[in-house]
Amino acid sequence: MLAAIFVAPPALLFGMFVYAFYENYAIWPYSPVSYLVMAPALRSITPIAQCSPLVYQRYFQECGGICGEQQRVWFGTTATLDILQNTYDLDDLRAQLDGFDEVSLHMSTGRPGLPEGCSEASISAYDDYAID
């Protein structure tokens, strides 16, 4: 009982700091921090025609006119952009990501480190902060 009294407050405080300040470009799925900082709707995305690992990203935009938080899911795929657009309903995802202002799907080819014929697909969600 005493252990819970002394351990719970620091653990809770640490969790709050992780949630508020954690910024990482390579958060692995099923890691404890992914459940803490990533939006559940983004964690529920299942890659199609996957050819490289699924990675989550969370980072903050510096204030210089636009301030906000960006969360991204990216993975390598052999699918085309048309197939991805037909698979992922961005309007539904936007509705699930209540509070996020923009949701977009991007695809790029030729990223170093990806296998031949493997393109990078990313689904991004952006939430800007209102500065009063």
Side-chain angles (χ1 to χ4, degrees), residues 88-116:
Y88 302 114
D89 184 355
L90 295 184
D91 292 329
D92 182 48
L93 187 59
R94 193 173 292 110
Q96 292 177 41
L97 289 165
D98 186 36
F100 281 82
D101 303 301
E102 299 173 22
V103 177
S104 58
L105 169 68
H106 301 280
M107 189 166 190
S108 61
T109 58
R111 182 173 178 260
L114 291 178
E116 186 70 29

PDB file of all heavy atoms in Angstrom, residues 88-116:
ATOM      1  N   TYR A  88      -8.687   4.153 -47.761  1.00  0.00           N
ATOM      2  CA  TYR A  88      -8.758   4.971 -46.551  1.00  0.00           C
ATOM      3  C   TYR A  88      -9.742   6.118 -46.747  1.00  0.00           C
ATOM      4  O   TYR A  88      -9.542   6.976 -47.599  1.00  0.00           O
ATOM      5  CB  TYR A  88      -7.373   5.508 -46.194  1.00  0.00           C
ATOM      6  CG  TYR A  88      -6.371   4.409 -45.979  1.00  0.00           C
ATOM      7  CD1 TYR A  88      -5.291   4.252 -46.834  1.00  0.00           C
ATOM      8  CD2 TYR A  88      -6.520   3.492 -44.943  1.00  0.00           C
ATOM      9  CE1 TYR A  88      -4.368   3.237 -46.647  1.00  0.00           C
ATOM     10  CE2 TYR A  88      -5.609   2.469 -44.759  1.00  0.00           C
ATOM     11  CZ  TYR A  88      -4.541   2.349 -45.604  1.00  0.00           C
ATOM     12  OH  TYR A  88      -3.640   1.329 -45.432  1.00  0.00           O
ATOM     13  N   ASP A  89     -10.803   6.104 -45.968  1.00  0.00           N
ATOM     14  CA  ASP A  89     -11.825   7.146 -46.032  1.00  0.00           C
ATOM     15  C   ASP A  89     -11.375   8.313 -45.150  1.00  0.00           C
ATOM     16  O   ASP A  89     -11.519   8.275 -43.922  1.00  0.00           O
ATOM     17  CB  ASP A  89     -13.163   6.585 -45.545  1.00  0.00           C
ATOM     18  CG  ASP A  89     -14.287   7.569 -45.675  1.00  0.00           C
ATOM     19  OD1 ASP A  89     -14.054   8.735 -46.058  1.00  0.00           O
ATOM     20  OD2 ASP A  89     -15.441   7.169 -45.377  1.00  0.00           O
ATOM     21  N   LEU A  90     -10.812   9.337 -45.769  1.00  0.00           N
ATOM     22  CA  LEU A  90     -10.275  10.462 -45.016  1.00  0.00           C
ATOM     23  C   LEU A  90     -11.365  11.273 -44.327  1.00  0.00           C
ATOM     24  O   LEU A  90     -11.127  11.842 -43.257  1.00  0.00           O
ATOM     25  CB  LEU A  90      -9.430  11.362 -45.918  1.00  0.00           C
ATOM     26  CG  LEU A  90      -8.153  10.737 -46.484  1.00  0.00           C
ATOM     27  CD1 LEU A  90      -7.375  11.770 -47.276  1.00  0.00           C
ATOM     28  CD2 LEU A  90      -7.297  10.127 -45.402  1.00  0.00           C
ATOM     29  N   ASP A  91     -12.559  11.328 -44.899  1.00  0.00           N
ATOM     30  CA  ASP A  91     -13.656  12.041 -44.245  1.00  0.00           C
ATOM     31  C   ASP A  91     -14.059  11.349 -42.947  1.00  0.00           C
ATOM     32  O   ASP A  91     -14.293  12.004 -41.929  1.00  0.00           O
ATOM     33  CB  ASP A  91     -14.862  12.160 -45.184  1.00  0.00           C
ATOM     34  CG  ASP A  91     -14.579  13.083 -46.360  1.00  0.00           C
ATOM     35  OD1 ASP A  91     -13.785  14.042 -46.185  1.00  0.00           O
ATOM     36  OD2 ASP A  91     -15.134  12.841 -47.445  1.00  0.00           O
ATOM     37  N   ASP A  92     -14.125  10.022 -42.983  1.00  0.00           N
ATOM     38  CA  ASP A  92     -14.443   9.266 -41.774  1.00  0.00           C
ATOM     39  C   ASP A  92     -13.326   9.418 -40.744  1.00  0.00           C
ATOM     40  O   ASP A  92     -13.578   9.593 -39.554  1.00  0.00           O
ATOM     41  CB  ASP A  92     -14.655   7.787 -42.120  1.00  0.00           C
ATOM     42  CG  ASP A  92     -15.040   6.970 -40.914  1.00  0.00           C
ATOM     43  OD1 ASP A  92     -15.949   7.385 -40.167  1.00  0.00           O
ATOM     44  OD2 ASP A  92     -14.415   5.904 -40.698  1.00  0.00           O
ATOM     45  N   LEU A  93     -12.096   9.363 -41.207  1.00  0.00           N
ATOM     46  CA  LEU A  93     -10.953   9.525 -40.309  1.00  0.00           C
ATOM     47  C   LEU A  93     -10.965  10.917 -39.683  1.00  0.00           C
ATOM     48  O   LEU A  93     -10.712  11.077 -38.489  1.00  0.00           O
ATOM     49  CB  LEU A  93      -9.656   9.289 -41.085  1.00  0.00           C
ATOM     50  CG  LEU A  93      -8.375   9.248 -40.273  1.00  0.00           C
ATOM     51  CD1 LEU A  93      -8.408   8.144 -39.224  1.00  0.00           C
ATOM     52  CD2 LEU A  93      -7.181   9.051 -41.192  1.00  0.00           C
ATOM     53  N   ARG A  94     -11.276  11.930 -40.462  1.00  0.00           N
ATOM     54  CA  ARG A  94     -11.360  13.306 -39.961  1.00  0.00           C
ATOM     55  C   ARG A  94     -12.431  13.417 -38.879  1.00  0.00           C
ATOM     56  O   ARG A  94     -12.235  14.088 -37.859  1.00  0.00           O
ATOM     57  CB  ARG A  94     -11.667  14.259 -41.113  1.00  0.00           C
ATOM     58  CG  ARG A  94     -11.487  15.717 -40.807  1.00  0.00           C
ATOM     59  CD  ARG A  94     -11.652  16.585 -42.051  1.00  0.00           C
ATOM     60  NE  ARG A  94     -10.575  16.373 -43.008  1.00  0.00           N
ATOM     61  CZ  ARG A  94     -10.715  15.773 -44.192  1.00  0.00           C
ATOM     62  NH1 ARG A  94     -11.889  15.336 -44.585  1.00  0.00           N
ATOM     63  NH2 ARG A  94      -9.689  15.611 -44.990  1.00  0.00           N
ATOM     64  N   ALA A  95     -13.548  12.724 -39.064  1.00  0.00           N
ATOM     65  CA  ALA A  95     -14.615  12.741 -38.062  1.00  0.00           C
ATOM     66  C   ALA A  95     -14.157  12.045 -36.773  1.00  0.00           C
ATOM     67  O   ALA A  95     -14.517  12.479 -35.671  1.00  0.00           O
ATOM     68  CB  ALA A  95     -15.863  12.069 -38.611  1.00  0.00           C
ATOM     69  N   GLN A  96     -13.405  10.970 -36.906  1.00  0.00           N
ATOM     70  CA  GLN A  96     -12.898  10.264 -35.726  1.00  0.00           C
ATOM     71  C   GLN A  96     -11.831  11.071 -34.998  1.00  0.00           C
ATOM     72  O   GLN A  96     -11.657  10.932 -33.792  1.00  0.00           O
ATOM     73  CB  GLN A  96     -12.296   8.914 -36.130  1.00  0.00           C
ATOM     74  CG  GLN A  96     -13.305   7.910 -36.620  1.00  0.00           C
ATOM     75  CD  GLN A  96     -12.603   6.642 -37.063  1.00  0.00           C
ATOM     76  OE1 GLN A  96     -11.680   6.178 -36.429  1.00  0.00           O
ATOM     77  NE2 GLN A  96     -13.050   6.085 -38.180  1.00  0.00           N
ATOM     78  N   LEU A  97     -11.109  11.895 -35.726  1.00  0.00           N
ATOM     79  CA  LEU A  97     -10.051  12.723 -35.150  1.00  0.00           C
ATOM     80  C   LEU A  97     -10.610  14.074 -34.746  1.00  0.00           C
ATOM     81  O   LEU A  97     -10.172  15.127 -35.212  1.00  0.00           O
ATOM     82  CB  LEU A  97      -8.907  12.898 -36.151  1.00  0.00           C
ATOM     83  CG  LEU A  97      -8.071  11.666 -36.414  1.00  0.00           C
ATOM     84  CD1 LEU A  97      -7.228  11.837 -37.668  1.00  0.00           C
ATOM     85  CD2 LEU A  97      -7.195  11.351 -35.222  1.00  0.00           C
ATOM     86  N   ASP A  98     -11.583  14.062 -33.892  1.00  0.00           N
ATOM     87  CA  ASP A  98     -12.235  15.277 -33.445  1.00  0.00           C
ATOM     88  C   ASP A  98     -11.190  16.217 -32.834  1.00  0.00           C
ATOM     89  O   ASP A  98     -10.414  15.827 -31.981  1.00  0.00           O
ATOM     90  CB  ASP A  98     -13.305  14.941 -32.411  1.00  0.00           C
ATOM     91  CG  ASP A  98     -14.113  16.145 -32.020  1.00  0.00           C
ATOM     92  OD1 ASP A  98     -14.367  16.993 -32.895  1.00  0.00           O
ATOM     93  OD2 ASP A  98     -14.483  16.256 -30.834  1.00  0.00           O
ATOM     94  N   GLY A  99     -11.160  17.423 -33.302  1.00  0.00           N
ATOM     95  CA  GLY A  99     -10.194  18.400 -32.813  1.00  0.00           C
ATOM     96  C   GLY A  99      -9.037  18.626 -33.772  1.00  0.00           C
ATOM     97  O   GLY A  99      -8.386  19.662 -33.720  1.00  0.00           O
ATOM     98  N   PHE A 100      -8.775  17.671 -34.650  1.00  0.00           N
ATOM     99  CA  PHE A 100      -7.721  17.860 -35.645  1.00  0.00           C
ATOM    100  C   PHE A 100      -8.308  18.626 -36.824  1.00  0.00           C
ATOM    101  O   PHE A 100      -9.434  18.389 -37.240  1.00  0.00           O
ATOM    102  CB  PHE A 100      -7.154  16.516 -36.112  1.00  0.00           C
ATOM    103  CG  PHE A 100      -6.173  15.922 -35.142  1.00  0.00           C
ATOM    104  CD1 PHE A 100      -6.613  15.209 -34.045  1.00  0.00           C
ATOM    105  CD2 PHE A 100      -4.814  16.087 -35.324  1.00  0.00           C
ATOM    106  CE1 PHE A 100      -5.722  14.668 -33.140  1.00  0.00           C
ATOM    107  CE2 PHE A 100      -3.905  15.550 -34.427  1.00  0.00           C
ATOM    108  CZ  PHE A 100      -4.363  14.836 -33.325  1.00  0.00           C
ATOM    109  N   ASP A 101      -7.530  19.551 -37.364  1.00  0.00           N
ATOM    110  CA  ASP A 101      -8.028  20.444 -38.401  1.00  0.00           C
ATOM    111  C   ASP A 101      -7.858  19.908 -39.810  1.00  0.00           C
ATOM    112  O   ASP A 101      -8.673  20.183 -40.676  1.00  0.00           O
ATOM    113  CB  ASP A 101      -7.317  21.798 -38.292  1.00  0.00           C
ATOM    114  CG  ASP A 101      -7.521  22.398 -36.912  1.00  0.00           C
ATOM    115  OD1 ASP A 101      -8.685  22.607 -36.534  1.00  0.00           O
ATOM    116  OD2 ASP A 101      -6.525  22.634 -36.216  1.00  0.00           O
ATOM    117  N   GLU A 102      -6.770  19.180 -40.052  1.00  0.00           N
ATOM    118  CA  GLU A 102      -6.484  18.686 -41.396  1.00  0.00           C
ATOM    119  C   GLU A 102      -6.091  17.217 -41.337  1.00  0.00           C
ATOM    120  O   GLU A 102      -5.361  16.803 -40.446  1.00  0.00           O
ATOM    121  CB  GLU A 102      -5.319  19.463 -42.015  1.00  0.00           C
ATOM    122  CG  GLU A 102      -5.554  20.939 -42.172  1.00  0.00           C
ATOM    123  CD  GLU A 102      -4.303  21.671 -42.642  1.00  0.00           C
ATOM    124  OE1 GLU A 102      -3.414  21.020 -43.229  1.00  0.00           O
ATOM    125  OE2 GLU A 102      -4.211  22.875 -42.403  1.00  0.00           O
ATOM    126  N   VAL A 103      -6.565  16.459 -42.301  1.00  0.00           N
ATOM    127  CA  VAL A 103      -6.165  15.063 -42.471  1.00  0.00           C
ATOM    128  C   VAL A 103      -5.833  14.886 -43.944  1.00  0.00           C
ATOM    129  O   VAL A 103      -6.598  15.301 -44.812  1.00  0.00           O
ATOM    130  CB  VAL A 103      -7.290  14.082 -42.046  1.00  0.00           C
ATOM    131  CG1 VAL A 103      -6.880  12.655 -42.298  1.00  0.00           C
ATOM    132  CG2 VAL A 103      -7.657  14.277 -40.584  1.00  0.00           C
ATOM    133  N   SER A 104      -4.674  14.295 -44.224  1.00  0.00           N
ATOM    134  CA  SER A 104      -4.268  14.149 -45.621  1.00  0.00           C
ATOM    135  C   SER A 104      -3.541  12.831 -45.838  1.00  0.00           C
ATOM    136  O   SER A 104      -2.991  12.245 -44.913  1.00  0.00           O
ATOM    137  CB  SER A 104      -3.384  15.319 -46.046  1.00  0.00           C
ATOM    138  OG  SER A 104      -2.244  15.395 -45.226  1.00  0.00           O
ATOM    139  N   LEU A 105      -3.553  12.413 -47.089  1.00  0.00           N
ATOM    140  CA  LEU A 105      -2.869  11.195 -47.527  1.00  0.00           C
ATOM    141  C   LEU A 105      -1.823  11.603 -48.551  1.00  0.00           C
ATOM    142  O   LEU A 105      -2.120  12.349 -49.487  1.00  0.00           O
ATOM    143  CB  LEU A 105      -3.876  10.223 -48.156  1.00  0.00           C
ATOM    144  CG  LEU A 105      -3.327   9.025 -48.894  1.00  0.00           C
ATOM    145  CD1 LEU A 105      -2.649   8.059 -47.936  1.00  0.00           C
ATOM    146  CD2 LEU A 105      -4.448   8.309 -49.635  1.00  0.00           C
ATOM    147  N   HIS A 106      -0.599  11.137 -48.355  1.00  0.00           N
ATOM    148  CA  HIS A 106       0.494  11.451 -49.271  1.00  0.00           C
ATOM    149  C   HIS A 106       1.196  10.170 -49.686  1.00  0.00           C
ATOM    150  O   HIS A 106       1.206   9.191 -48.946  1.00  0.00           O
ATOM    151  CB  HIS A 106       1.512  12.386 -48.621  1.00  0.00           C
ATOM    152  CG  HIS A 106       0.930  13.670 -48.170  1.00  0.00           C
ATOM    153  ND1 HIS A 106       0.680  14.714 -49.022  1.00  0.00           N
ATOM    154  CD2 HIS A 106       0.522  14.090 -46.952  1.00  0.00           C
ATOM    155  CE1 HIS A 106       0.149  15.712 -48.353  1.00  0.00           C
ATOM    156  NE2 HIS A 106       0.041  15.357 -47.085  1.00  0.00           N
ATOM    157  N   MET A 107       1.802  10.220 -50.853  1.00  0.00           N
ATOM    158  CA  MET A 107       2.578   9.086 -51.335  1.00  0.00           C
ATOM    159  C   MET A 107       3.813   9.625 -52.035  1.00  0.00           C
ATOM    160  O   MET A 107       3.741  10.589 -52.786  1.00  0.00           O
ATOM    161  CB  MET A 107       1.750   8.248 -52.293  1.00  0.00           C
ATOM    162  CG  MET A 107       2.382   6.959 -52.662  1.00  0.00           C
ATOM    163  SD  MET A 107       1.138   5.928 -53.439  1.00  0.00           S
ATOM    164  CE  MET A 107       2.014   4.415 -53.490  1.00  0.00           C
ATOM    165  N   SER A 108       4.959   8.997 -51.743  1.00  0.00           N
ATOM    166  CA  SER A 108       6.197   9.397 -52.406  1.00  0.00           C
ATOM    167  C   SER A 108       6.968   8.146 -52.812  1.00  0.00           C
ATOM    168  O   SER A 108       6.830   7.098 -52.205  1.00  0.00           O
ATOM    169  CB  SER A 108       7.048  10.283 -51.500  1.00  0.00           C
ATOM    170  OG  SER A 108       7.393   9.584 -50.323  1.00  0.00           O
ATOM    171  N   THR A 109       7.760   8.288 -53.845  1.00  0.00           N
ATOM    172  CA  THR A 109       8.523   7.142 -54.352  1.00  0.00           C
ATOM    173  C   THR A 109      10.008   7.398 -54.188  1.00  0.00           C
ATOM    174  O   THR A 109      10.445   8.546 -54.047  1.00  0.00           O
ATOM    175  CB  THR A 109       8.215   6.897 -55.842  1.00  0.00           C
ATOM    176  OG1 THR A 109       8.535   8.089 -56.559  1.00  0.00           O
ATOM    177  CG2 THR A 109       6.767   6.542 -56.054  1.00  0.00           C
ATOM    178  N   GLY A 110      10.762   6.326 -54.238  1.00  0.00           N
ATOM    179  CA  GLY A 110      12.206   6.435 -54.276  1.00  0.00           C
ATOM    180  C   GLY A 110      12.868   6.821 -52.974  1.00  0.00           C
ATOM    181  O   GLY A 110      13.976   7.330 -52.982  1.00  0.00           O
ATOM    182  N   ARG A 111      12.230   6.605 -51.846  1.00  0.00           N
ATOM    183  CA  ARG A 111      12.862   6.930 -50.568  1.00  0.00           C
ATOM    184  C   ARG A 111      14.008   5.965 -50.308  1.00  0.00           C
ATOM    185  O   ARG A 111      13.857   4.762 -50.443  1.00  0.00           O
ATOM    186  CB  ARG A 111      11.824   6.833 -49.457  1.00  0.00           C
ATOM    187  CG  ARG A 111      12.372   7.208 -48.107  1.00  0.00           C
ATOM    188  CD  ARG A 111      11.231   7.259 -47.104  1.00  0.00           C
ATOM    189  NE  ARG A 111      11.760   7.563 -45.808  1.00  0.00           N
ATOM    190  CZ  ARG A 111      11.990   6.656 -44.871  1.00  0.00           C
ATOM    191  NH1 ARG A 111      11.720   5.390 -45.084  1.00  0.00           N
ATOM    192  NH2 ARG A 111      12.471   7.002 -43.707  1.00  0.00           N
ATOM    193  N   PRO A 112      15.167   6.476 -49.912  1.00  0.00           N
ATOM    194  CA  PRO A 112      16.302   5.581 -49.625  1.00  0.00           C
ATOM    195  C   PRO A 112      15.968   4.598 -48.504  1.00  0.00           C
ATOM    196  O   PRO A 112      15.314   4.953 -47.527  1.00  0.00           O
ATOM    197  CB  PRO A 112      17.405   6.545 -49.175  1.00  0.00           C
ATOM    198  CG  PRO A 112      17.017   7.871 -49.706  1.00  0.00           C
ATOM    199  CD  PRO A 112      15.518   7.885 -49.756  1.00  0.00           C
ATOM    200  N   GLY A 113      16.396   3.372 -48.683  1.00  0.00           N
ATOM    201  CA  GLY A 113      16.179   2.347 -47.670  1.00  0.00           C
ATOM    202  C   GLY A 113      14.965   1.471 -47.908  1.00  0.00           C
ATOM    203  O   GLY A 113      14.827   0.420 -47.290  1.00  0.00           O
ATOM    204  N   LEU A 114      14.083   1.895 -48.802  1.00  0.00           N
ATOM    205  CA  LEU A 114      12.919   1.072 -49.112  1.00  0.00           C
ATOM    206  C   LEU A 114      13.281   0.053 -50.196  1.00  0.00           C
ATOM    207  O   LEU A 114      14.086   0.351 -51.074  1.00  0.00           O
ATOM    208  CB  LEU A 114      11.747   1.933 -49.593  1.00  0.00           C
ATOM    209  CG  LEU A 114      11.079   2.839 -48.561  1.00  0.00           C
ATOM    210  CD1 LEU A 114       9.977   3.659 -49.211  1.00  0.00           C
ATOM    211  CD2 LEU A 114      10.513   2.041 -47.401  1.00  0.00           C
ATOM    212  N   PRO A 115      12.662  -1.121 -50.149  1.00  0.00           N
ATOM    213  CA  PRO A 115      12.919  -2.105 -51.204  1.00  0.00           C
ATOM    214  C   PRO A 115      12.484  -1.587 -52.575  1.00  0.00           C
ATOM    215  O   PRO A 115      11.664  -0.668 -52.681  1.00  0.00           O
ATOM    216  CB  PRO A 115      12.053  -3.301 -50.795  1.00  0.00           C
ATOM    217  CG  PRO A 115      11.734  -3.100 -49.362  1.00  0.00           C
ATOM    218  CD  PRO A 115      11.770  -1.625 -49.119  1.00  0.00           C
ATOM    219  N   GLU A 116      13.033  -2.164 -53.615  1.00  0.00           N
ATOM    220  CA  GLU A 116      12.675  -1.792 -54.997  1.00  0.00           C
ATOM    221  C   GLU A 116      11.168  -1.949 -55.197  1.00  0.00           C
ATOM    222  O   GLU A 116      10.575  -2.956 -54.827  1.00  0.00           O
ATOM    223  CB  GLU A 116      13.430  -2.698 -55.968  1.00  0.00           C
ATOM    224  CG  GLU A 116      13.253  -2.311 -57.418  1.00  0.00           C
ATOM    225  CD  GLU A 116      13.947  -1.013 -57.778  1.00  0.00           C
ATOM    226  OE1 GLU A 116      14.968  -0.681 -57.135  1.00  0.00           O
ATOM    227  OE2 GLU A 116      13.461  -0.335 -58.685  1.00  0.00           O
TER     228      GLU A 116
END
